[in-house]
């Protein structure tokens, strides 16, 4: 019963960098981890993949054979993988036990997670083979700087969650860059917890050209609130503490935390020290200077909370290579 995560998100959200960083982090913790590259357009990847869709089909092959554009070619490749999912399952057999943790690096085309069922079908086949997976949906934290962009991200996240129907973690990536983009309209925890959107609606209606869509904007905000499904974790992939906090949420989502306390599974201990989205957002805001322009060290952030020293000391001793 292997555990793992499926990394998705729009182009530029940092999926491939995330996969490389999380792979390095997990292996350093002692958890045997492999990456499966399911993006046929991934040419220069900063990691070594155990399974690569490029062995089955590439984007260039599809475009040349059927005179398709990049988007059409990508859709064809994933639909081709769906038809040949047995190839993927066969490639995964050497890793299909409790010994390995699997990270799936997926394409960035949002159509694959909003109205095309190929990725959903592939995930269902993996689940039938007893893979315990969680979806990690990365979006760039810069979308918090404008009301219209953030509401679009909320709709995308909600649609993706509804289509894939699997344990789901939404993540604001590149949170460390947010301070350089100007002040937010609200504190960061407002965006991570998706609080009362009527306040955001006021900001949206103040934009030139948005006033005439006031009623539509209101209905969209109410739709997101009625489902009450979307919330965000934060991530700076170069910060091992940020990665550790996100890993807590992922391990709860895919059930890894409830497994045996084997080597590399310190997550039962980590979960006891887990924080909610509001606390996490406040820490990230202080750490990376969002809104205030001030930062603090991890020593200051962790002051007064010295529980589970054995696990945290192990994390403190890790380093994550920065990929750009």
């Amino acid at each position: 019963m292997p555990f793992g995560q499926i990394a998705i998100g729009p182009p530029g959200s940092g999926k491939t960098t995330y996969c490389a960083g999380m792979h390095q982090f997990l292996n350093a913790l002692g958890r045997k981890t492999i990456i499966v590259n399911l993006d046929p357009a991934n040419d220069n990847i900063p990691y070594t993949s155990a399974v690569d869709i490029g062995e089955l089909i590439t984007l260039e092959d599809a475009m040349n054979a059927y005179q398709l554009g990049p988007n059409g070619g990508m859709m064809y490749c994933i639909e081709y993988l769906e038809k040949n999912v047995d190839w993927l399952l066969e490639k995964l057999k050497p890793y299909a036990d409790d010994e390995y943790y699997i990270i799936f690096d997926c394409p960035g085309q949002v159509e694959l997670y909003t109205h095309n069922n190929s990725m959903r079908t592939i995930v269902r086949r993996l689940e039938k083979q007893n893979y315990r997976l969680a979806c990690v949906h990365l979006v760039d934290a810069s979308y918090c700087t404008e009301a219209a962009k953030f509401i679009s991200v909320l709709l995308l996240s909600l649609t993706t969650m509804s289509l894939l129907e699997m344990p789901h973690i939404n993540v604001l990536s590149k949170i460390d860059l947010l301070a350089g983009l100007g002040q937010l309209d609200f504190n960061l925890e407002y965006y991570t917890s998706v609080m009362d959107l009527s306040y955001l609606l006021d900001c949206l209606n103040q934009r030139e050209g948005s006033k005439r869509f006031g009623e539509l904007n209101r209905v969209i905000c109410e739709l997101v609130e009625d489902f009450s499904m979307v919330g965000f974790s934060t991530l700076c992939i170069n910060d091992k503490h940020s990665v550790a906090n996100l890993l807590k949420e992922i391990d709860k989502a895919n059930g890894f935390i409830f497994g045996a306390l084997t080597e590399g599974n310190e997550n039962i201990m980590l979960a006891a020290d887990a924080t909610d989205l509001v606390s996490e957002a406040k820490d990230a805001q202080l750490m990376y200077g969002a809104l205030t322009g001030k930062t603090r060290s991890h020593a200051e952030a962790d002051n007064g909370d010295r529980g589970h020293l054995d696990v945290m000391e192990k994390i403190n001793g890790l380093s994550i290579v920065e990929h750009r």
Side-chain angles (χ1 to χ4, degrees), residues 270-323:
L270 288 173
D273 190 39
T275 56
D276 58 26
L277 292 179
V278 174
S279 299
E280 179 190 332
K282 288 180 178 178
D283 286 343
Q285 181 170 301
L286 289 171
M287 191 70 65
Y288 306 117
L291 295 178
T292 63
K294 299 178 181 179
T295 60
R296 64 173 178 169
S297 66
H298 282 293
E300 294 171 326
D302 294 334
N303 186 33
D305 183 10
R306 305 304 300 166
H308 316 300
L309 289 177
D310 53 340
V311 176
M312 295 313 298
E313 286 176 359
K314 191 170 186 180
I315 292 175
N316 287 333
L318 301 179
S319 62
I320 299 180
V321 175
E322 182 175 356
H323 300 285

Side-chain angles (χ1 to χ4, degrees), residues 88-220:
L88 176 61
L89 297 176
E90 186 67 27
K91 287 287 187 179
L92 288 172
K93 276 187 177 180
Y95 315 102
D97 55 42
D98 292 341
E99 185 178 1
Y100 289 95
Y101 186 94
I102 304 174
I103 300 174
F104 293 87
D105 187 3
C106 298
Q109 270 64 20
V110 296
E111 298 95 329
L112 294 170
Y113 316 105
T114 56
H115 60 268
N116 184 287
N117 288 322
S118 292
M119 283 301 301
R120 176 179 175 174
T121 302
I122 293 169
V123 169
R124 291 295 173 273
R125 285 295 304 274
L126 290 170
E127 290 175 340
K128 286 182 178 179
Q129 299 298 317
N130 289 323
Y131 287 82
R132 298 293 183 260
L133 303 173
C135 178
V136 180
H137 183 202
L138 298 160
V139 294
D140 197 316
S142 64
Y143 290 125
C144 294
T145 58
E146 292 186 28
K149 291 181 179 179
F150 184 67
I151 290 177
S152 296
V153 164
L154 291 177
L155 289 175
L156 174 61
S157 300
L158 180 59
T159 304
T160 301
M161 296 171 74
S162 301
L163 180 72
L164 292 181
E165 293 183 319
M166 62 184 300
H168 201 102
I169 306 292
N170 294 305
V171 181
L172 294 175
S173 63
K174 306 179 185 179
I175 196 69
D176 53 315
L177 304 180
L178 193 56
L181 300 177
Q183 289 195 347
L184 302 179
D185 293 318
F186 306 99
N187 288 339
L188 187 57
E189 59 262 31
Y190 174 87
Y191 298 92
T192 58
S193 298
V194 190
M195 298 178 181
D196 189 351
L197 293 182
S198 63
Y199 296 102
L200 199 65
L201 182 61
D202 293 336
C203 298
L204 182 62
N205 288 336
Q206 289 174 6
R207 294 174 69 247
E208 184 178 355
S210 293
K211 294 180 180 179
R212 58 188 176 131
F213 299 112
E215 184 63 19
L216 176 61
N217 294 336
R218 182 187 64 79
V219 171
I220 290 175

Side-chain angles (χ1 to χ4, degrees), residues 1-49:
M1 187 174 66
F3 291 87
Q5 52 183 277
I6 295 178
I8 68 173
S13 59
K15 288 188 309 302
T16 298
T17 300
Y18 165 80
C19 290
M22 182 61 76
H23 173 259
Q24 184 178 355
F25 183 82
L26 289 171
N27 279 305
L29 278 179
R31 193 185 303 185
K32 288 186 178 180
T33 306
I34 65 167
I35 300 180
V36 175
N37 176 34
L38 295 184
D39 188 349
N42 258 354
D43 295 327
N44 301 313
I45 51 179
Y47 56 75
T48 300
S49 58

